[in-house]
Amino acid sequence: MIHRKKSQAGKNTLPLHAIAWIVGAFILIPVVYAFLGGFKENSELSANPFGLPEAWVTANYTEVLGSGSFWLQMWNSTFIAVITTVLTVGFAALAGFIFARYAFRGREVLFTLFTAGLMFPFAVAILPIFVLLRTFGLLGNPLGVILTQAAFGLPLTIIILRGFFRSIPGEIEEAAIIDGCSPFGFFWRILLPMARPAIATVSVLAIVGSWNNFMLPLVVFSEEANWTLPLGIQQFQGQYASDTARILAYLVLAMVPALGFYAIAERHLVGGITAGATKG
C-alpha cells in the first residue's frame, strides 16, 4: 500500500517536473549559447551557432578582461549595487521591525502606503524621477541611481522582512527585555541574526536588481566614467556591431558576478521568501 502511494505521488509530480525542465531549458539555452559563442569566430558562429567550437578562441574573453573600461564599469556596478543593498536592507529592516513588533495608530494605513509602491512600475515614473534628480543636482551622480533604486526596492523588502519578524515568538523579546536588553538591542543582537534567511533573500533581490538595471543609469549618467555594465554592453555592442562573438563574451563576463552571488545565496532565497509570504 505504501509503495503504491509513493508510485502514485511520483506520477502526480511528473507534469510539474516536466514543466520545470522546460522552463529551465528556456532560461539555460541562451546562457549556454552566449558562453559557447564567445569562444568562436564570427564565421563559425554563423555557420554553427549551437554546436561546440571547432577551435576554442579565448581572445574574445581575454581582450574584454584586458580592457580598462570593462573593469571601471564593473567597479561602478559593484559600488552602486552594494550601497543600494545596504540602504535598502538597512532601512527596510528598521521599518519592518516597527511594523511587525509595535502596535500604533495608523500602522496598517502606513504599511499599505509602503506596499502601494509595488503598483507603480519604474518605467512609468521615469520622467518625474528625472525632474526630481535634476532639481536636487543628482544627475551624473551615483547617488541619483542609488537613492532611486533603494526607494523602489523598499516596498517588497519591507513586506518580506515584516513577515519574518512577525514570526519570531514574543516570548523571546520578553525574555530579552527582562535580561535588560533595549528594544534596539533586541533588534540588533537577536532579531537580525535570526532573520539571516530573509536578509539574504532581500539582499540577493536588491543586488541582482541593481546589477541588471539599465534604464535608470541611462537617464542619470552621461559621462562614460560613470557607466555601469548594462550601459557598457550597449556601448560595446554599438562599437563592435559586426563582432558578435566578442559581444557575447562581454555579455557573459558581465553576468558572472551576479550569477556567482546568486549561486552562493540561493539556498537562503526560497526559504526567506516563503517565510515572508506565509508567516506575515
Side-chain angles (χ1 to χ4, degrees), residues 248-272:
L248 292 177
Y250 196 103
L251 181 62
V252 170
L253 291 173
M255 290 190 300
V256 166
L259 291 176
F261 181 81
Y262 179 85
I264 294 172
E266 181 269 339
R267 64 190 182 94
H268 297 292
L269 188 59
V270 176

PDB file of all heavy atoms in Angstrom, residues 248-272:
ATOM      1  N   LEU A 248      29.160  38.631 -27.293  1.00  0.00           N
ATOM      2  CA  LEU A 248      28.690  37.553 -26.429  1.00  0.00           C
ATOM      3  C   LEU A 248      29.657  37.327 -25.269  1.00  0.00           C
ATOM      4  O   LEU A 248      29.235  37.078 -24.136  1.00  0.00           O
ATOM      5  CB  LEU A 248      28.520  36.270 -27.241  1.00  0.00           C
ATOM      6  CG  LEU A 248      27.401  36.272 -28.283  1.00  0.00           C
ATOM      7  CD1 LEU A 248      27.394  34.963 -29.064  1.00  0.00           C
ATOM      8  CD2 LEU A 248      26.048  36.500 -27.626  1.00  0.00           C
ATOM      9  N   ALA A 249      30.953  37.403 -25.539  1.00  0.00           N
ATOM     10  CA  ALA A 249      31.942  37.244 -24.471  1.00  0.00           C
ATOM     11  C   ALA A 249      31.791  38.355 -23.430  1.00  0.00           C
ATOM     12  O   ALA A 249      31.846  38.094 -22.211  1.00  0.00           O
ATOM     13  CB  ALA A 249      33.351  37.254 -25.061  1.00  0.00           C
ATOM     14  N   TYR A 250      31.596  39.579 -23.875  1.00  0.00           N
ATOM     15  CA  TYR A 250      31.403  40.713 -22.959  1.00  0.00           C
ATOM     16  C   TYR A 250      30.149  40.496 -22.120  1.00  0.00           C
ATOM     17  O   TYR A 250      30.147  40.720 -20.896  1.00  0.00           O
ATOM     18  CB  TYR A 250      31.276  41.999 -23.778  1.00  0.00           C
ATOM     19  CG  TYR A 250      31.450  43.273 -22.986  1.00  0.00           C
ATOM     20  CD1 TYR A 250      32.630  43.988 -23.052  1.00  0.00           C
ATOM     21  CD2 TYR A 250      30.431  43.760 -22.185  1.00  0.00           C
ATOM     22  CE1 TYR A 250      32.798  45.166 -22.335  1.00  0.00           C
ATOM     23  CE2 TYR A 250      30.587  44.926 -21.459  1.00  0.00           C
ATOM     24  CZ  TYR A 250      31.767  45.633 -21.537  1.00  0.00           C
ATOM     25  OH  TYR A 250      31.934  46.789 -20.820  1.00  0.00           O
ATOM     26  N   LEU A 251      29.089  40.030 -22.758  1.00  0.00           N
ATOM     27  CA  LEU A 251      27.824  39.803 -22.060  1.00  0.00           C
ATOM     28  C   LEU A 251      27.967  38.726 -20.986  1.00  0.00           C
ATOM     29  O   LEU A 251      27.471  38.876 -19.861  1.00  0.00           O
ATOM     30  CB  LEU A 251      26.753  39.402 -23.071  1.00  0.00           C
ATOM     31  CG  LEU A 251      25.346  39.134 -22.536  1.00  0.00           C
ATOM     32  CD1 LEU A 251      24.778  40.391 -21.907  1.00  0.00           C
ATOM     33  CD2 LEU A 251      24.437  38.645 -23.649  1.00  0.00           C
ATOM     34  N   VAL A 252      28.654  37.645 -21.307  1.00  0.00           N
ATOM     35  CA  VAL A 252      28.838  36.556 -20.346  1.00  0.00           C
ATOM     36  C   VAL A 252      29.650  37.029 -19.145  1.00  0.00           C
ATOM     37  O   VAL A 252      29.304  36.758 -17.986  1.00  0.00           O
ATOM     38  CB  VAL A 252      29.523  35.351 -21.021  1.00  0.00           C
ATOM     39  CG1 VAL A 252      29.949  34.318 -19.983  1.00  0.00           C
ATOM     40  CG2 VAL A 252      28.583  34.712 -22.035  1.00  0.00           C
ATOM     41  N   LEU A 253      30.732  37.750 -19.399  1.00  0.00           N
ATOM     42  CA  LEU A 253      31.573  38.240 -18.302  1.00  0.00           C
ATOM     43  C   LEU A 253      30.810  39.232 -17.425  1.00  0.00           C
ATOM     44  O   LEU A 253      31.045  39.302 -16.210  1.00  0.00           O
ATOM     45  CB  LEU A 253      32.837  38.894 -18.859  1.00  0.00           C
ATOM     46  CG  LEU A 253      33.833  37.939 -19.522  1.00  0.00           C
ATOM     47  CD1 LEU A 253      34.964  38.720 -20.191  1.00  0.00           C
ATOM     48  CD2 LEU A 253      34.400  36.966 -18.493  1.00  0.00           C
ATOM     49  N   ALA A 254      29.899  39.981 -18.016  1.00  0.00           N
ATOM     50  CA  ALA A 254      29.098  40.924 -17.233  1.00  0.00           C
ATOM     51  C   ALA A 254      28.096  40.204 -16.336  1.00  0.00           C
ATOM     52  O   ALA A 254      27.707  40.730 -15.285  1.00  0.00           O
ATOM     53  CB  ALA A 254      28.363  41.888 -18.166  1.00  0.00           C
ATOM     54  N   MET A 255      27.685  38.998 -16.730  1.00  0.00           N
ATOM     55  CA  MET A 255      26.718  38.248 -15.936  1.00  0.00           C
ATOM     56  C   MET A 255      27.358  37.466 -14.794  1.00  0.00           C
ATOM     57  O   MET A 255      26.688  37.114 -13.817  1.00  0.00           O
ATOM     58  CB  MET A 255      25.957  37.251 -16.825  1.00  0.00           C
ATOM     59  CG  MET A 255      25.001  37.877 -17.807  1.00  0.00           C
ATOM     60  SD  MET A 255      23.949  36.619 -18.581  1.00  0.00           S
ATOM     61  CE  MET A 255      25.190  35.566 -19.365  1.00  0.00           C
ATOM     62  N   VAL A 256      28.641  37.165 -14.899  1.00  0.00           N
ATOM     63  CA  VAL A 256      29.300  36.247 -13.957  1.00  0.00           C
ATOM     64  C   VAL A 256      29.179  36.702 -12.501  1.00  0.00           C
ATOM     65  O   VAL A 256      28.815  35.888 -11.629  1.00  0.00           O
ATOM     66  CB  VAL A 256      30.773  36.040 -14.351  1.00  0.00           C
ATOM     67  CG1 VAL A 256      31.553  35.383 -13.215  1.00  0.00           C
ATOM     68  CG2 VAL A 256      30.862  35.187 -15.604  1.00  0.00           C
ATOM     69  N   PRO A 257      29.464  37.965 -12.141  1.00  0.00           N
ATOM     70  CA  PRO A 257      29.387  38.345 -10.719  1.00  0.00           C
ATOM     71  C   PRO A 257      27.994  38.161 -10.125  1.00  0.00           C
ATOM     72  O   PRO A 257      27.865  37.641  -9.011  1.00  0.00           O
ATOM     73  CB  PRO A 257      29.796  39.831 -10.730  1.00  0.00           C
ATOM     74  CG  PRO A 257      30.624  39.981 -11.961  1.00  0.00           C
ATOM     75  CD  PRO A 257      29.997  39.068 -12.966  1.00  0.00           C
ATOM     76  N   ALA A 258      26.948  38.582 -10.849  1.00  0.00           N
ATOM     77  CA  ALA A 258      25.586  38.435 -10.328  1.00  0.00           C
ATOM     78  C   ALA A 258      25.208  36.966 -10.200  1.00  0.00           C
ATOM     79  O   ALA A 258      24.591  36.548  -9.207  1.00  0.00           O
ATOM     80  CB  ALA A 258      24.593  39.167 -11.232  1.00  0.00           C
ATOM     81  N   LEU A 259      25.572  36.149 -11.192  1.00  0.00           N
ATOM     82  CA  LEU A 259      25.274  34.721 -11.123  1.00  0.00           C
ATOM     83  C   LEU A 259      26.034  34.063  -9.980  1.00  0.00           C
ATOM     84  O   LEU A 259      25.489  33.185  -9.290  1.00  0.00           O
ATOM     85  CB  LEU A 259      25.634  34.048 -12.450  1.00  0.00           C
ATOM     86  CG  LEU A 259      24.757  34.396 -13.657  1.00  0.00           C
ATOM     87  CD1 LEU A 259      25.307  33.732 -14.913  1.00  0.00           C
ATOM     88  CD2 LEU A 259      23.313  33.971 -13.417  1.00  0.00           C
ATOM     89  N   GLY A 260      27.277  34.472  -9.774  1.00  0.00           N
ATOM     90  CA  GLY A 260      28.061  33.914  -8.685  1.00  0.00           C
ATOM     91  C   GLY A 260      27.472  34.241  -7.329  1.00  0.00           C
ATOM     92  O   GLY A 260      27.349  33.362  -6.458  1.00  0.00           O
ATOM     93  N   PHE A 261      27.073  35.494  -7.147  1.00  0.00           N
ATOM     94  CA  PHE A 261      26.474  35.875  -5.876  1.00  0.00           C
ATOM     95  C   PHE A 261      25.158  35.146  -5.657  1.00  0.00           C
ATOM     96  O   PHE A 261      24.866  34.677  -4.561  1.00  0.00           O
ATOM     97  CB  PHE A 261      26.254  37.387  -5.826  1.00  0.00           C
ATOM     98  CG  PHE A 261      25.649  37.863  -4.537  1.00  0.00           C
ATOM     99  CD1 PHE A 261      26.439  38.060  -3.418  1.00  0.00           C
ATOM    100  CD2 PHE A 261      24.287  38.096  -4.431  1.00  0.00           C
ATOM    101  CE1 PHE A 261      25.885  38.486  -2.216  1.00  0.00           C
ATOM    102  CE2 PHE A 261      23.723  38.512  -3.240  1.00  0.00           C
ATOM    103  CZ  PHE A 261      24.533  38.711  -2.134  1.00  0.00           C
ATOM    104  N   TYR A 262      24.373  35.028  -6.713  1.00  0.00           N
ATOM    105  CA  TYR A 262      23.096  34.331  -6.584  1.00  0.00           C
ATOM    106  C   TYR A 262      23.316  32.868  -6.231  1.00  0.00           C
ATOM    107  O   TYR A 262      22.590  32.296  -5.403  1.00  0.00           O
ATOM    108  CB  TYR A 262      22.309  34.438  -7.884  1.00  0.00           C
ATOM    109  CG  TYR A 262      20.979  33.718  -7.842  1.00  0.00           C
ATOM    110  CD1 TYR A 262      19.850  34.340  -7.318  1.00  0.00           C
ATOM    111  CD2 TYR A 262      20.859  32.420  -8.309  1.00  0.00           C
ATOM    112  CE1 TYR A 262      18.635  33.684  -7.268  1.00  0.00           C
ATOM    113  CE2 TYR A 262      19.642  31.756  -8.261  1.00  0.00           C
ATOM    114  CZ  TYR A 262      18.544  32.386  -7.743  1.00  0.00           C
ATOM    115  OH  TYR A 262      17.352  31.728  -7.688  1.00  0.00           O
ATOM    116  N   ALA A 263      24.315  32.232  -6.836  1.00  0.00           N
ATOM    117  CA  ALA A 263      24.587  30.820  -6.555  1.00  0.00           C
ATOM    118  C   ALA A 263      24.986  30.619  -5.100  1.00  0.00           C
ATOM    119  O   ALA A 263      24.611  29.621  -4.472  1.00  0.00           O
ATOM    120  CB  ALA A 263      25.689  30.311  -7.481  1.00  0.00           C
ATOM    121  N   ILE A 264      25.737  31.572  -4.537  1.00  0.00           N
ATOM    122  CA  ILE A 264      26.164  31.457  -3.145  1.00  0.00           C
ATOM    123  C   ILE A 264      24.973  31.607  -2.196  1.00  0.00           C
ATOM    124  O   ILE A 264      24.842  30.866  -1.212  1.00  0.00           O
ATOM    125  CB  ILE A 264      27.237  32.510  -2.827  1.00  0.00           C
ATOM    126  CG1 ILE A 264      28.516  32.215  -3.632  1.00  0.00           C
ATOM    127  CG2 ILE A 264      27.542  32.559  -1.337  1.00  0.00           C
ATOM    128  CD1 ILE A 264      29.561  33.297  -3.526  1.00  0.00           C
ATOM    129  N   ALA A 265      24.096  32.563  -2.487  1.00  0.00           N
ATOM    130  CA  ALA A 265      22.992  32.865  -1.573  1.00  0.00           C
ATOM    131  C   ALA A 265      21.701  32.153  -1.926  1.00  0.00           C
ATOM    132  O   ALA A 265      20.692  32.347  -1.242  1.00  0.00           O
ATOM    133  CB  ALA A 265      22.751  34.380  -1.550  1.00  0.00           C
ATOM    134  N   GLU A 266      21.717  31.314  -2.956  1.00  0.00           N
ATOM    135  CA  GLU A 266      20.477  30.706  -3.453  1.00  0.00           C
ATOM    136  C   GLU A 266      19.771  29.853  -2.410  1.00  0.00           C
ATOM    137  O   GLU A 266      18.543  29.809  -2.344  1.00  0.00           O
ATOM    138  CB  GLU A 266      20.809  29.865  -4.691  1.00  0.00           C
ATOM    139  CG  GLU A 266      19.597  29.196  -5.340  1.00  0.00           C
ATOM    140  CD  GLU A 266      19.325  27.819  -4.798  1.00  0.00           C
ATOM    141  OE1 GLU A 266      20.251  27.211  -4.227  1.00  0.00           O
ATOM    142  OE2 GLU A 266      18.177  27.355  -4.912  1.00  0.00           O
ATOM    143  N   ARG A 267      20.537  29.177  -1.553  1.00  0.00           N
ATOM    144  CA  ARG A 267      19.907  28.281  -0.585  1.00  0.00           C
ATOM    145  C   ARG A 267      19.062  29.035   0.436  1.00  0.00           C
ATOM    146  O   ARG A 267      18.178  28.461   1.066  1.00  0.00           O
ATOM    147  CB  ARG A 267      20.962  27.443   0.132  1.00  0.00           C
ATOM    148  CG  ARG A 267      21.932  28.228   0.979  1.00  0.00           C
ATOM    149  CD  ARG A 267      23.074  27.341   1.434  1.00  0.00           C
ATOM    150  NE  ARG A 267      24.009  28.053   2.288  1.00  0.00           N
ATOM    151  CZ  ARG A 267      23.931  28.045   3.611  1.00  0.00           C
ATOM    152  NH1 ARG A 267      22.963  27.370   4.211  1.00  0.00           N
ATOM    153  NH2 ARG A 267      24.812  28.704   4.331  1.00  0.00           N
ATOM    154  N   HIS A 268      19.335  30.337   0.606  1.00  0.00           N
ATOM    155  CA  HIS A 268      18.524  31.142   1.517  1.00  0.00           C
ATOM    156  C   HIS A 268      17.319  31.772   0.822  1.00  0.00           C
ATOM    157  O   HIS A 268      16.388  32.209   1.497  1.00  0.00           O
ATOM    158  CB  HIS A 268      19.366  32.274   2.131  1.00  0.00           C
ATOM    159  CG  HIS A 268      20.498  31.796   2.973  1.00  0.00           C
ATOM    160  ND1 HIS A 268      20.321  31.155   4.180  1.00  0.00           N
ATOM    161  CD2 HIS A 268      21.845  31.858   2.783  1.00  0.00           C
ATOM    162  CE1 HIS A 268      21.505  30.852   4.696  1.00  0.00           C
ATOM    163  NE2 HIS A 268      22.438  31.270   3.870  1.00  0.00           N
ATOM    164  N   LEU A 269      17.354  31.828  -0.504  1.00  0.00           N
ATOM    165  CA  LEU A 269      16.387  32.641  -1.234  1.00  0.00           C
ATOM    166  C   LEU A 269      14.972  32.133  -1.080  1.00  0.00           C
ATOM    167  O   LEU A 269      14.069  32.867  -0.663  1.00  0.00           O
ATOM    168  CB  LEU A 269      16.762  32.685  -2.718  1.00  0.00           C
ATOM    169  CG  LEU A 269      15.970  33.637  -3.599  1.00  0.00           C
ATOM    170  CD1 LEU A 269      16.100  35.058  -3.091  1.00  0.00           C
ATOM    171  CD2 LEU A 269      16.433  33.566  -5.037  1.00  0.00           C
ATOM    172  N   VAL A 270      14.739  30.849  -1.360  1.00  0.00           N
ATOM    173  CA  VAL A 270      13.396  30.301  -1.296  1.00  0.00           C
ATOM    174  C   VAL A 270      12.868  30.314   0.126  1.00  0.00           C
ATOM    175  O   VAL A 270      11.728  30.685   0.381  1.00  0.00           O
ATOM    176  CB  VAL A 270      13.376  28.865  -1.875  1.00  0.00           C
ATOM    177  CG1 VAL A 270      11.994  28.248  -1.711  1.00  0.00           C
ATOM    178  CG2 VAL A 270      13.785  28.880  -3.327  1.00  0.00           C
ATOM    179  N   GLY A 271      13.715  29.940   1.078  1.00  0.00           N
ATOM    180  CA  GLY A 271      13.290  29.928   2.467  1.00  0.00           C
ATOM    181  C   GLY A 271      12.909  31.303   2.971  1.00  0.00           C
ATOM    182  O   GLY A 271      11.938  31.468   3.698  1.00  0.00           O
ATOM    183  N   GLY A 272      13.666  32.323   2.570  1.00  0.00           N
ATOM    184  CA  GLY A 272      13.366  33.673   3.023  1.00  0.00           C
ATOM    185  C   GLY A 272      12.068  34.207   2.441  1.00  0.00           C
ATOM    186  O   GLY A 272      11.273  34.816   3.122  1.00  0.00           O
TER     187      GLY A 272
END
